[in-house]
Amino acid sequence: MQLFVFICAAVMILIGAVGVIVRSHPVHAALSLILTLFGVAVLFVAQDAHFLAAVQVIVYAGAIVVLFLFVIMLLGVDKAESLRIDPVKVQRPLAAIVGIGLAGLLAAAIVQGRDTLARRGTGIDTADGGVHDSNIRQLANDLFSNHVFAFEITSVLLVIAVVGTVLLARRPRHSGASHTEAGTDTKASVK
Amino acid sequence: MLAVVATPTTTWYLLLAALLFSIGVVGVLVRRNPLVMFMCIELMLNAVNLSFVALAKKLGDIGGQTTVFFVMVVAAAEVVVGLGIIVSILRRRPTATADDIAELKG
């Protein structure tokens, strides 16, 4: 049963990942990304990370991909990019070599070091013990005792990101906002 | 045959994560649309998250899952800032690919 779940999730992940880099349309790439993210969430559940699986679905598939889709549709860049033309002649063969080489090296390192993984912690709590939210409890205990400072700094990071994005995406007031408006309108009408 | 294929071990998860990471690397190298390059970076982040969770289970250490939590927060902030930059670039030049964006002026 675990093997079946693993194989199904792995197929989802790999099909989605290949779809992201193969589909020429950005919207299709974003939808393939959702497939990959759901597959990763399934594997999180299989590895007793229930809270992270929920966060994966909510934050990644729910927020980040929707943000991607918003940007794609907002900017009107949702036209298929021609994948036939190769801007730099040797780019794709070199990229394939780099990818295969990287995968081979990582696989060799993983297979070589698979016996060095020794259990050293106290274990991941599962829901088998009768406490249904044991994973959340354990994660929260670790987060708010050992990593509480990093957690606080994270809030600063999020505030900085929001303020910076508002500043970046704001239309410049002095350099003719009407000019930009007109440009956007003509583009929309052409479409 | 069925006796040989037991439950998937940590090595399988790590190999799958390595494959996913390599696909993300190839995507960043090949694609020219900045949005799709961003999605490939998300693929690589997910591959690392997957190996973190698999190792947390194997080593019996909840710290791996805590790290994944922080990676997700930082990835969300990174996507917000990156898409803001892409929006401000593509608003001026709607057909810009990664090859055209050679200077730091939006």
Side-chain angles (χ1 to χ4, degrees):
Chain A
M1 187 61 197
Q2 282 184 354
L3 184 76
F4 180 69
V5 170
F6 178 83
I7 289 175
C8 285
V11 168
M12 275 172 72
I13 288 173
L14 293 180
I15 287 177
V18 170
V20 170
I21 68 170
V22 165
R23 301 304 289 266
S24 59
H25 204 292
V27 175
H28 295 167
L31 295 179
S32 301
L33 184 63
I34 290 184
L35 189 64
T36 297
L37 298 178
F38 269 106
V40 172
V42 169
L43 288 187
F44 279 4
V45 173
Q47 293 283 52
D48 291 333
H50 301 108
F51 177 71
L52 290 177
V55 172
Q56 170 93 1
V57 171
I58 293 171
V59 172
Y60 264 114
I64 291 182
V65 176
V66 169
L67 199 61
F68 270 115
L69 289 175
F70 260 122
V71 170
I72 290 170
M73 309 243 171
L74 200 68
L75 292 172
V77 292
D78 55 339
K79 53 186 169 300
E81 164 193 3
S82 170
L83 293 178
R84 293 276 169 268
I85 51 168
D86 201 354
V88 186
K89 279 291 168 244
V90 291
Q91 187 180 9
R92 290 194 182 159
L94 278 184
I97 291 171
V98 168
I100 293 172
L102 187 63
L105 284 177
L106 285 174
I110 289 164
V111 171
Q112 182 118 41
R114 69 181 185 278
D115 294 329
T116 61
L117 299 175
R119 183 188 173 90
R120 60 187 185 90
T122 53
I124 306 286
D125 289 348
T126 57
D128 298 336
V131 187
H132 296 301
D133 53 355
S134 56
N135 178 247
I136 300 178
R137 284 173 191 239
Q138 197 184 13
L139 193 57
N141 272 331
D142 188 48
L143 189 61
F144 293 115
S145 59
N146 300 329
H147 304 282
V148 68
F149 182 66
F151 186 77
E152 299 290 340
I153 290 295
T154 297
S155 62
V156 179
L157 173 75
L158 286 176
V159 170
I160 291 173
V162 169
V163 172
T165 306
V166 169
L167 202 64
L168 277 173
R170 192 185 54 166
R171 291 174 195 276
R173 193 173 298 157
H174 52 84
S175 68
S178 59
H179 188 70
T180 321
E181 279 295 333
T184 324
D185 282 346
T186 47
K187 201 184 69 191
S189 60
V190 163
K191 249 197 334 177
Chain B
M1 183 65 193
L2 276 178
V4 176
V5 283
T7 57
T9 59
T10 306
T11 309
W12 295 30
Y13 285 90
L14 293 180
L15 288 175
L16 178 63
L19 209 51
L20 185 57
F21 189 89
S22 304
I23 292 175
V25 169
V26 171
V28 170
L29 290 176
V30 164
R31 294 304 295 260
R32 288 154 63 235
N33 189 336
L35 281 166
V36 180
M37 290 170 81
F38 238 75
M39 292 179 202
C40 294
I41 292 175
E42 297 302 313
L43 285 184
M44 288 193 272
L45 283 171
N46 269 280
V48 174
N49 281 354
L50 185 59
S51 56
F52 261 124
V53 168
L55 285 174
K57 170 80 172 168
K58 174 72 175 176
L59 301 181
D61 192 344
I62 195 72
Q65 294 191 13
T66 314
T67 311
V68 173
F69 180 78
F70 283 119
V71 168
M72 281 180 179
V73 174
V74 174
E78 168 241 340
V79 164
V80 167
V81 174
L83 287 182
I85 293 174
I86 289 177
V87 163
S88 67
I89 289 173
L90 292 188
R91 191 184 281 154
R92 311 234 175 156
R93 287 174 288 182
T95 57
T97 64
D99 299 334
D100 306 330
I101 309 166
E103 78 270 15
L104 274 178
K105 190 170 181 302

